[in-house]
């Protein structure tokens, strides 16, 4: 009988899914519990950035070439990404509700919104 049990093809997993795992089993002594994050100095030392060319962007050299993609446009009122611009005030808007709101704004507020985007028009 025992020889039949030993030669059986059925194997039980070492940990059953319905049983709670003790912390000592999950994290044996000497192992950290969570993910270990590296600091910037550790990354710089490990990557040896001094051997890289000076014109290649990396963590040390923050100067990088300009983006090849066109700049994203955001609504001046809500901050959502938008393709629309009001032709009268040149304020960007995301939907029709914001457009109605823009048309009801006084000129002083329009100039303030444009100045936030550095697109203000100085009227003389």
């Amino acid at each position: 009988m025992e020889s039949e049990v030993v030669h059986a093809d059925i194997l039980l997993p070492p940990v059953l899914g319905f049983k709670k795992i003790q912390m000592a089993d999950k994290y044996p002594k000497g192992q950290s519990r969570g993910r270990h994050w590296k600091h910037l100095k550790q990354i710089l030392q490990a990557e040896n950035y001094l051997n890289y060319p000076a014109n290649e962007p990396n963590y040390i050299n923050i100067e990088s070439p300009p983006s090849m993609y066109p700049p994203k446009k955001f609504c001046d009122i809500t901050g959502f990404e938008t393709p629309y611009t009001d032709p009268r005030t040149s304020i960007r808007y995301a939907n029709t509700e914001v457009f109605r709101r823009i048309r009801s704004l006084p000129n002083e507020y329009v100039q303030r919104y444009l100045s936030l985007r550095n697109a203000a028009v100085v009227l003389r």
Side-chain angles (χ1 to χ4, degrees), residues 15 23 27 30-33 38 41 46 49 54-55 58 63-65 78 80 83-84 89-90 106 112-113 117-118:
V15 178
M23 288 300 272
Y27 302 108
Q31 285 187 346
S32 64
R33 289 187 172 201
K38 289 185 178 181
K41 284 187 177 181
Y49 283 111
N55 60 354
N58 53 34
E63 297 173 5
S64 62
T78 61
F80 295 134
Y84 309 117
T89 61
S90 71
R112 286 184 186 173
Y113 276 116
R117 189 170 32 114
N118 292 332

PDB file of all heavy atoms in Angstrom, residues 15 23 27 30-33 38 41 46 49 54-55 58 63-65 78 80 83-84 89-90 106 112-113 117-118:
ATOM      1  N   VAL A  15       2.169  25.268  -0.428  1.00  0.00           N
ATOM      2  CA  VAL A  15       1.338  26.258   0.260  1.00  0.00           C
ATOM      3  C   VAL A  15      -0.059  26.199  -0.353  1.00  0.00           C
ATOM      4  O   VAL A  15      -0.204  26.306  -1.565  1.00  0.00           O
ATOM      5  CB  VAL A  15       1.930  27.677   0.109  1.00  0.00           C
ATOM      6  CG1 VAL A  15       1.035  28.701   0.770  1.00  0.00           C
ATOM      7  CG2 VAL A  15       3.323  27.739   0.667  1.00  0.00           C
ATOM      8  N   MET A  23       4.029  35.675   8.592  1.00  0.00           N
ATOM      9  CA  MET A  23       5.015  36.667   8.158  1.00  0.00           C
ATOM     10  C   MET A  23       6.419  36.081   8.177  1.00  0.00           C
ATOM     11  O   MET A  23       7.250  36.414   7.343  1.00  0.00           O
ATOM     12  CB  MET A  23       4.944  37.906   9.054  1.00  0.00           C
ATOM     13  CG  MET A  23       3.698  38.739   8.820  1.00  0.00           C
ATOM     14  SD  MET A  23       3.581  39.328   7.157  1.00  0.00           S
ATOM     15  CE  MET A  23       4.472  40.841   7.291  1.00  0.00           C
ATOM     16  N   TYR A  27       8.579  36.358   4.793  1.00  0.00           N
ATOM     17  CA  TYR A  27       9.817  37.141   4.797  1.00  0.00           C
ATOM     18  C   TYR A  27      10.785  36.524   5.801  1.00  0.00           C
ATOM     19  O   TYR A  27      10.785  36.879   6.974  1.00  0.00           O
ATOM     20  CB  TYR A  27       9.544  38.597   5.198  1.00  0.00           C
ATOM     21  CG  TYR A  27       8.556  39.290   4.303  1.00  0.00           C
ATOM     22  CD1 TYR A  27       7.270  39.578   4.734  1.00  0.00           C
ATOM     23  CD2 TYR A  27       8.917  39.654   3.017  1.00  0.00           C
ATOM     24  CE1 TYR A  27       6.366  40.216   3.918  1.00  0.00           C
ATOM     25  CE2 TYR A  27       8.020  40.287   2.189  1.00  0.00           C
ATOM     26  CZ  TYR A  27       6.744  40.568   2.649  1.00  0.00           C
ATOM     27  OH  TYR A  27       5.855  41.198   1.831  1.00  0.00           O
ATOM     28  N   GLY A  30      16.495  38.534   7.297  1.00  0.00           N
ATOM     29  CA  GLY A  30      17.481  39.088   6.383  1.00  0.00           C
ATOM     30  C   GLY A  30      16.895  39.602   5.079  1.00  0.00           C
ATOM     31  O   GLY A  30      17.560  40.313   4.351  1.00  0.00           O
ATOM     32  N   GLN A  31      15.652  39.267   4.756  1.00  0.00           N
ATOM     33  CA  GLN A  31      15.048  39.779   3.534  1.00  0.00           C
ATOM     34  C   GLN A  31      14.210  41.008   3.852  1.00  0.00           C
ATOM     35  O   GLN A  31      13.571  41.078   4.893  1.00  0.00           O
ATOM     36  CB  GLN A  31      14.152  38.723   2.885  1.00  0.00           C
ATOM     37  CG  GLN A  31      14.917  37.638   2.188  1.00  0.00           C
ATOM     38  CD  GLN A  31      13.976  36.724   1.423  1.00  0.00           C
ATOM     39  OE1 GLN A  31      12.784  36.749   1.626  1.00  0.00           O
ATOM     40  NE2 GLN A  31      14.546  35.913   0.546  1.00  0.00           N
ATOM     41  N   SER A  32      14.213  41.962   2.928  1.00  0.00           N
ATOM     42  CA  SER A  32      13.411  43.162   3.145  1.00  0.00           C
ATOM     43  C   SER A  32      11.959  42.871   2.832  1.00  0.00           C
ATOM     44  O   SER A  32      11.641  41.996   2.029  1.00  0.00           O
ATOM     45  CB  SER A  32      13.924  44.306   2.280  1.00  0.00           C
ATOM     46  OG  SER A  32      13.762  43.963   0.923  1.00  0.00           O
ATOM     47  N   ARG A  33      11.070  43.624   3.435  1.00  0.00           N
ATOM     48  CA  ARG A  33       9.640  43.391   3.252  1.00  0.00           C
ATOM     49  C   ARG A  33       9.108  44.004   1.970  1.00  0.00           C
ATOM     50  O   ARG A  33       8.216  43.487   1.352  1.00  0.00           O
ATOM     51  CB  ARG A  33       8.866  43.959   4.429  1.00  0.00           C
ATOM     52  CG  ARG A  33       9.090  43.161   5.666  1.00  0.00           C
ATOM     53  CD  ARG A  33       8.197  43.616   6.756  1.00  0.00           C
ATOM     54  NE  ARG A  33       8.329  42.685   7.867  1.00  0.00           N
ATOM     55  CZ  ARG A  33       7.449  42.534   8.795  1.00  0.00           C
ATOM     56  NH1 ARG A  33       6.372  43.267   8.793  1.00  0.00           N
ATOM     57  NH2 ARG A  33       7.621  41.673   9.754  1.00  0.00           N
ATOM     58  N   LYS A  38      16.215  53.082  -4.958  1.00  0.00           N
ATOM     59  CA  LYS A  38      17.549  53.660  -4.977  1.00  0.00           C
ATOM     60  C   LYS A  38      17.447  55.177  -5.014  1.00  0.00           C
ATOM     61  O   LYS A  38      16.564  55.738  -5.652  1.00  0.00           O
ATOM     62  CB  LYS A  38      18.315  53.183  -6.210  1.00  0.00           C
ATOM     63  CG  LYS A  38      18.717  51.738  -6.156  1.00  0.00           C
ATOM     64  CD  LYS A  38      19.567  51.407  -7.357  1.00  0.00           C
ATOM     65  CE  LYS A  38      20.029  49.972  -7.296  1.00  0.00           C
ATOM     66  NZ  LYS A  38      20.878  49.642  -8.440  1.00  0.00           N
ATOM     67  N   LYS A  41      21.874  59.456  -6.080  1.00  0.00           N
ATOM     68  CA  LYS A  41      23.326  59.257  -5.999  1.00  0.00           C
ATOM     69  C   LYS A  41      23.705  57.800  -6.261  1.00  0.00           C
ATOM     70  O   LYS A  41      24.710  57.520  -6.908  1.00  0.00           O
ATOM     71  CB  LYS A  41      23.839  59.685  -4.622  1.00  0.00           C
ATOM     72  CG  LYS A  41      23.937  61.169  -4.450  1.00  0.00           C
ATOM     73  CD  LYS A  41      24.598  61.512  -3.142  1.00  0.00           C
ATOM     74  CE  LYS A  41      24.757  63.001  -3.007  1.00  0.00           C
ATOM     75  NZ  LYS A  41      25.426  63.373  -1.749  1.00  0.00           N
ATOM     76  N   ALA A  46      26.097  53.785  -9.896  1.00  0.00           N
ATOM     77  CA  ALA A  46      25.968  52.468 -10.514  1.00  0.00           C
ATOM     78  C   ALA A  46      26.046  52.538 -12.039  1.00  0.00           C
ATOM     79  O   ALA A  46      26.595  51.645 -12.677  1.00  0.00           O
ATOM     80  CB  ALA A  46      24.656  51.821 -10.085  1.00  0.00           C
ATOM     81  N   TYR A  49      27.943  57.383 -15.262  1.00  0.00           N
ATOM     82  CA  TYR A  49      27.585  58.347 -16.300  1.00  0.00           C
ATOM     83  C   TYR A  49      28.762  59.178 -16.794  1.00  0.00           C
ATOM     84  O   TYR A  49      28.646  59.874 -17.788  1.00  0.00           O
ATOM     85  CB  TYR A  49      26.483  59.282 -15.791  1.00  0.00           C
ATOM     86  CG  TYR A  49      25.134  58.641 -15.783  1.00  0.00           C
ATOM     87  CD1 TYR A  49      24.493  58.345 -14.600  1.00  0.00           C
ATOM     88  CD2 TYR A  49      24.506  58.308 -16.971  1.00  0.00           C
ATOM     89  CE1 TYR A  49      23.256  57.743 -14.596  1.00  0.00           C
ATOM     90  CE2 TYR A  49      23.268  57.706 -16.983  1.00  0.00           C
ATOM     91  CZ  TYR A  49      22.649  57.428 -15.794  1.00  0.00           C
ATOM     92  OH  TYR A  49      21.424  56.825 -15.791  1.00  0.00           O
ATOM     93  N   ALA A  54      28.891  63.697 -23.741  1.00  0.00           N
ATOM     94  CA  ALA A  54      28.306  64.883 -23.099  1.00  0.00           C
ATOM     95  C   ALA A  54      26.988  65.304 -23.731  1.00  0.00           C
ATOM     96  O   ALA A  54      26.143  65.890 -23.057  1.00  0.00           O
ATOM     97  CB  ALA A  54      29.301  66.041 -23.152  1.00  0.00           C
ATOM     98  N   ASN A  55      26.777  65.005 -25.006  1.00  0.00           N
ATOM     99  CA  ASN A  55      25.552  65.460 -25.672  1.00  0.00           C
ATOM    100  C   ASN A  55      24.382  64.484 -25.515  1.00  0.00           C
ATOM    101  O   ASN A  55      23.293  64.754 -25.989  1.00  0.00           O
ATOM    102  CB  ASN A  55      25.814  65.713 -27.159  1.00  0.00           C
ATOM    103  CG  ASN A  55      26.297  64.455 -27.864  1.00  0.00           C
ATOM    104  OD1 ASN A  55      26.548  63.435 -27.243  1.00  0.00           O
ATOM    105  ND2 ASN A  55      26.450  64.558 -29.170  1.00  0.00           N
ATOM    106  N   ASN A  58      20.896  62.394 -19.891  1.00  0.00           N
ATOM    107  CA  ASN A  58      20.847  61.401 -18.821  1.00  0.00           C
ATOM    108  C   ASN A  58      20.479  62.105 -17.522  1.00  0.00           C
ATOM    109  O   ASN A  58      20.057  63.254 -17.542  1.00  0.00           O
ATOM    110  CB  ASN A  58      22.180  60.660 -18.706  1.00  0.00           C
ATOM    111  CG  ASN A  58      23.353  61.596 -18.570  1.00  0.00           C
ATOM    112  OD1 ASN A  58      23.254  62.651 -17.965  1.00  0.00           O
ATOM    113  ND2 ASN A  58      24.477  61.228 -19.162  1.00  0.00           N
ATOM    114  N   GLU A  63      20.020  68.921 -19.900  1.00  0.00           N
ATOM    115  CA  GLU A  63      19.794  69.534 -21.192  1.00  0.00           C
ATOM    116  C   GLU A  63      19.493  68.436 -22.201  1.00  0.00           C
ATOM    117  O   GLU A  63      20.252  67.485 -22.356  1.00  0.00           O
ATOM    118  CB  GLU A  63      21.025  70.322 -21.634  1.00  0.00           C
ATOM    119  CG  GLU A  63      21.352  71.475 -20.714  1.00  0.00           C
ATOM    120  CD  GLU A  63      22.671  72.124 -21.073  1.00  0.00           C
ATOM    121  OE1 GLU A  63      23.270  71.733 -22.099  1.00  0.00           O
ATOM    122  OE2 GLU A  63      23.103  72.988 -20.330  1.00  0.00           O
ATOM    123  N   SER A  64      18.375  68.555 -22.861  1.00  0.00           N
ATOM    124  CA  SER A  64      18.011  67.559 -23.858  1.00  0.00           C
ATOM    125  C   SER A  64      17.494  68.288 -25.092  1.00  0.00           C
ATOM    126  O   SER A  64      17.093  69.447 -25.025  1.00  0.00           O
ATOM    127  CB  SER A  64      16.945  66.613 -23.304  1.00  0.00           C
ATOM    128  OG  SER A  64      15.785  67.328 -22.998  1.00  0.00           O
ATOM    129  N   PRO A  65      17.497  67.625 -26.224  1.00  0.00           N
ATOM    130  CA  PRO A  65      17.018  68.293 -27.435  1.00  0.00           C
ATOM    131  C   PRO A  65      15.521  68.560 -27.345  1.00  0.00           C
ATOM    132  O   PRO A  65      14.817  67.918 -26.571  1.00  0.00           O
ATOM    133  CB  PRO A  65      17.341  67.285 -28.544  1.00  0.00           C
ATOM    134  CG  PRO A  65      17.471  65.982 -27.854  1.00  0.00           C
ATOM    135  CD  PRO A  65      17.954  66.273 -26.477  1.00  0.00           C
ATOM    136  N   THR A  78     -10.400  74.722 -17.566  1.00  0.00           N
ATOM    137  CA  THR A  78     -10.487  73.435 -16.854  1.00  0.00           C
ATOM    138  C   THR A  78      -9.161  72.699 -16.752  1.00  0.00           C
ATOM    139  O   THR A  78      -8.972  71.888 -15.857  1.00  0.00           O
ATOM    140  CB  THR A  78     -11.495  72.511 -17.542  1.00  0.00           C
ATOM    141  OG1 THR A  78     -11.054  72.255 -18.870  1.00  0.00           O
ATOM    142  CG2 THR A  78     -12.879  73.119 -17.548  1.00  0.00           C
ATOM    143  N   PHE A  80      -8.114  70.584 -19.119  1.00  0.00           N
ATOM    144  CA  PHE A  80      -8.189  69.381 -19.945  1.00  0.00           C
ATOM    145  C   PHE A  80      -7.503  69.632 -21.283  1.00  0.00           C
ATOM    146  O   PHE A  80      -7.394  70.763 -21.748  1.00  0.00           O
ATOM    147  CB  PHE A  80      -9.638  68.973 -20.199  1.00  0.00           C
ATOM    148  CG  PHE A  80     -10.380  68.553 -18.963  1.00  0.00           C
ATOM    149  CD1 PHE A  80     -11.650  69.030 -18.711  1.00  0.00           C
ATOM    150  CD2 PHE A  80      -9.814  67.686 -18.055  1.00  0.00           C
ATOM    151  CE1 PHE A  80     -12.347  68.645 -17.580  1.00  0.00           C
ATOM    152  CE2 PHE A  80     -10.492  67.287 -16.934  1.00  0.00           C
ATOM    153  CZ  PHE A  80     -11.764  67.767 -16.689  1.00  0.00           C
ATOM    154  N   PRO A  83      -8.517  70.673 -28.460  1.00  0.00           N
ATOM    155  CA  PRO A  83      -8.146  71.141 -29.794  1.00  0.00           C
ATOM    156  C   PRO A  83      -8.804  72.471 -30.164  1.00  0.00           C
ATOM    157  O   PRO A  83      -8.544  73.013 -31.225  1.00  0.00           O
ATOM    158  CB  PRO A  83      -8.680  70.028 -30.702  1.00  0.00           C
ATOM    159  CG  PRO A  83      -9.873  69.525 -29.973  1.00  0.00           C
ATOM    160  CD  PRO A  83      -9.584  69.697 -28.498  1.00  0.00           C
ATOM    161  N   TYR A  84      -9.662  73.025 -29.302  1.00  0.00           N
ATOM    162  CA  TYR A  84     -10.479  74.195 -29.648  1.00  0.00           C
ATOM    163  C   TYR A  84      -9.875  75.494 -29.118  1.00  0.00           C
ATOM    164  O   TYR A  84      -9.339  75.533 -28.018  1.00  0.00           O
ATOM    165  CB  TYR A  84     -11.890  74.052 -29.076  1.00  0.00           C
ATOM    166  CG  TYR A  84     -12.555  72.751 -29.407  1.00  0.00           C
ATOM    167  CD1 TYR A  84     -12.907  71.865 -28.407  1.00  0.00           C
ATOM    168  CD2 TYR A  84     -12.823  72.393 -30.722  1.00  0.00           C
ATOM    169  CE1 TYR A  84     -13.518  70.656 -28.703  1.00  0.00           C
ATOM    170  CE2 TYR A  84     -13.429  71.200 -31.036  1.00  0.00           C
ATOM    171  CZ  TYR A  84     -13.777  70.330 -30.015  1.00  0.00           C
ATOM    172  OH  TYR A  84     -14.378  69.147 -30.309  1.00  0.00           O
ATOM    173  N   THR A  89     -11.426  85.623 -28.485  1.00  0.00           N
ATOM    174  CA  THR A  89     -10.587  85.900 -27.320  1.00  0.00           C
ATOM    175  C   THR A  89      -9.268  85.128 -27.325  1.00  0.00           C
ATOM    176  O   THR A  89      -8.393  85.432 -26.530  1.00  0.00           O
ATOM    177  CB  THR A  89     -11.331  85.540 -26.028  1.00  0.00           C
ATOM    178  OG1 THR A  89     -11.631  84.149 -26.039  1.00  0.00           O
ATOM    179  CG2 THR A  89     -12.587  86.350 -25.868  1.00  0.00           C
ATOM    180  N   SER A  90      -9.135  84.141 -28.201  1.00  0.00           N
ATOM    181  CA  SER A  90      -7.985  83.227 -28.307  1.00  0.00           C
ATOM    182  C   SER A  90      -7.741  82.433 -27.018  1.00  0.00           C
ATOM    183  O   SER A  90      -6.627  82.019 -26.742  1.00  0.00           O
ATOM    184  CB  SER A  90      -6.711  83.957 -28.748  1.00  0.00           C
ATOM    185  OG  SER A  90      -6.237  84.787 -27.724  1.00  0.00           O
ATOM    186  N   PRO A 106     -15.868  89.057 -18.795  1.00  0.00           N
ATOM    187  CA  PRO A 106     -15.456  90.417 -19.168  1.00  0.00           C
ATOM    188  C   PRO A 106     -14.021  90.422 -19.710  1.00  0.00           C
ATOM    189  O   PRO A 106     -13.249  89.496 -19.473  1.00  0.00           O
ATOM    190  CB  PRO A 106     -15.550  91.207 -17.860  1.00  0.00           C
ATOM    191  CG  PRO A 106     -15.770  90.226 -16.787  1.00  0.00           C
ATOM    192  CD  PRO A 106     -16.122  88.922 -17.378  1.00  0.00           C
ATOM    193  N   ARG A 112      -6.532  88.220 -18.027  1.00  0.00           N
ATOM    194  CA  ARG A 112      -5.882  87.487 -16.921  1.00  0.00           C
ATOM    195  C   ARG A 112      -5.621  86.034 -17.297  1.00  0.00           C
ATOM    196  O   ARG A 112      -4.544  85.497 -17.016  1.00  0.00           O
ATOM    197  CB  ARG A 112      -6.742  87.557 -15.662  1.00  0.00           C
ATOM    198  CG  ARG A 112      -6.712  88.895 -14.993  1.00  0.00           C
ATOM    199  CD  ARG A 112      -7.495  88.848 -13.710  1.00  0.00           C
ATOM    200  NE  ARG A 112      -7.597  90.166 -13.119  1.00  0.00           N
ATOM    201  CZ  ARG A 112      -8.332  90.437 -12.062  1.00  0.00           C
ATOM    202  NH1 ARG A 112      -9.041  89.491 -11.480  1.00  0.00           N
ATOM    203  NH2 ARG A 112      -8.373  91.657 -11.581  1.00  0.00           N
ATOM    204  N   TYR A 113      -6.606  85.378 -17.931  1.00  0.00           N
ATOM    205  CA  TYR A 113      -6.412  83.996 -18.354  1.00  0.00           C
ATOM    206  C   TYR A 113      -5.299  83.888 -19.395  1.00  0.00           C
ATOM    207  O   TYR A 113      -4.478  82.973 -19.358  1.00  0.00           O
ATOM    208  CB  TYR A 113      -7.706  83.407 -18.925  1.00  0.00           C
ATOM    209  CG  TYR A 113      -8.648  82.871 -17.875  1.00  0.00           C
ATOM    210  CD1 TYR A 113      -9.907  83.438 -17.690  1.00  0.00           C
ATOM    211  CD2 TYR A 113      -8.296  81.799 -17.076  1.00  0.00           C
ATOM    212  CE1 TYR A 113     -10.770  82.959 -16.733  1.00  0.00           C
ATOM    213  CE2 TYR A 113      -9.152  81.313 -16.112  1.00  0.00           C
ATOM    214  CZ  TYR A 113     -10.395  81.885 -15.949  1.00  0.00           C
ATOM    215  OH  TYR A 113     -11.237  81.406 -15.007  1.00  0.00           O
ATOM    216  N   ARG A 117      -1.049  82.101 -19.425  1.00  0.00           N
ATOM    217  CA  ARG A 117      -0.451  81.274 -20.468  1.00  0.00           C
ATOM    218  C   ARG A 117       0.649  82.031 -21.201  1.00  0.00           C
ATOM    219  O   ARG A 117       1.221  81.537 -22.173  1.00  0.00           O
ATOM    220  CB  ARG A 117      -1.543  80.842 -21.443  1.00  0.00           C
ATOM    221  CG  ARG A 117      -1.108  79.813 -22.435  1.00  0.00           C
ATOM    222  CD  ARG A 117      -2.212  79.204 -23.248  1.00  0.00           C
ATOM    223  NE  ARG A 117      -3.336  80.013 -23.545  1.00  0.00           N
ATOM    224  CZ  ARG A 117      -3.691  80.419 -24.762  1.00  0.00           C
ATOM    225  NH1 ARG A 117      -2.953  80.116 -25.799  1.00  0.00           N
ATOM    226  NH2 ARG A 117      -4.758  81.129 -24.951  1.00  0.00           N
ATOM    227  N   ASN A 118       0.969  83.232 -20.782  1.00  0.00           N
ATOM    228  CA  ASN A 118       1.937  84.116 -21.443  1.00  0.00           C
ATOM    229  C   ASN A 118       1.512  84.415 -22.879  1.00  0.00           C
ATOM    230  O   ASN A 118       2.339  84.479 -23.776  1.00  0.00           O
ATOM    231  CB  ASN A 118       3.344  83.535 -21.422  1.00  0.00           C
ATOM    232  CG  ASN A 118       3.910  83.505 -20.031  1.00  0.00           C
ATOM    233  OD1 ASN A 118       3.555  84.306 -19.189  1.00  0.00           O
ATOM    234  ND2 ASN A 118       4.788  82.542 -19.774  1.00  0.00           N
TER     235      ASN A 118
END
